[in-house]
């Protein structure tokens, strides 16, 4: 995948994990990540708990080694690289946060309509 795509992917993970952790856990800590992909460097500030850190690091690793030049959605990937338990957990995080993001966007739309 391109560096741009990689950057979008890590930021999506960040957003989803922060929403999930905020809703589910209550001891988030700040951690700065320095990631590298195809010689480009990315920094990411995360506010999530230890458990979520371990999970997101797993996802960063998988992303790093994703062999697809044009990355498919992990959900529709022909050769999924996640282990089953991690896969299930990540799907749960995405679902939880996706629903909430959808709600926020819907609320903003309504607000925009009336302001
Ligand atoms: Zn957490």
């Amino acid at each position: 995948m391109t560096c741009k795509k990689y950057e979008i992917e890590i930021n999506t993970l960040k957003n989803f994990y922060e929403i999930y952790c905020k809703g589910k856990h209550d001891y988030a800590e700040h951690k700065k990540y320095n990631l590298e992909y195809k010689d480009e460097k990315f920094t990411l500030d995360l506010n999530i708990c230890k458990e979520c850190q371990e999970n997101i690091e797993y996802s960063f690793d998988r992303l790093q080694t994703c062999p697809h030049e044009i990355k498919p959605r992990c959900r529709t990937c022909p050769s999924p690289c996640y282990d089953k338990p991690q896969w299930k957990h990540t799907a749960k995080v995405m679902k939880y946060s996706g629903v909430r993001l959808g709600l926020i966007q819907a609320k903003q739309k309504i607000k925009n309509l009336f302001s």
Side-chain angles (χ1 to χ4, degrees):
M1 77 192 101
T2 61
C3 288
K4 189 77 212 149
K5 176 74 177 162
Y6 178 81
E7 193 178 11
I8 293 168
E9 291 282 332
I10 56 174
N11 277 294
T12 304
L13 282 168
K14 170 193 153 82
N15 288 338
F16 278 57
Y17 264 94
E18 283 185 343
I19 291 170
Y20 178 80
C21 191
K22 210 174 169 189
K24 291 272 190 184
H25 310 138
D26 45 23
Y27 29 83
E29 55 178 64
H30 179 250
K31 190 170 175 187
K32 202 179 187 97
Y33 283 85
N34 293 303
L35 300 163
E36 228 182 296
Y37 186 73
K38 289 184 176 171
D39 297 329
E40 270 200 53
K41 290 183 172 35
F42 305 90
T43 48
L44 211 57
D45 285 296
L46 279 166
N47 289 296
I48 50 177
C49 73
K50 277 259 180 294
E51 187 193 325
C52 289
Q53 281 172 14
E54 276 174 29
N55 289 317
I56 205 170
E57 282 163 19
Y58 179 89
S59 290
F60 286 157
D61 281 350
R62 299 274 76 73
L63 202 55
Q64 210 89 36
T65 52
C66 178
H68 302 281
E69 202 37 56
I70 297 167
K71 188 184 162 299
R73 283 169 162 270
C74 289
R75 201 188 309 189
T76 55
C77 186
S79 51
C81 59
Y82 277 63
D83 293 329
K84 255 245 137 59
Q86 287 289 348
W87 174 247
K88 271 192 169 162
H89 181 77
T90 310
K92 203 171 82 184
V93 173
M94 294 293 143
K95 197 174 164 207
Y96 177 92
S97 302
V99 169
R100 270 146 196 86
L101 271 176
L103 289 178
I104 293 165
Q105 276 159 6
K107 266 187 203 155
Q108 272 165 353
K109 261 183 213 151
I110 293 165
K111 232 172 128 186
N112 290 341
L113 277 178
F114 292 103
S115 59

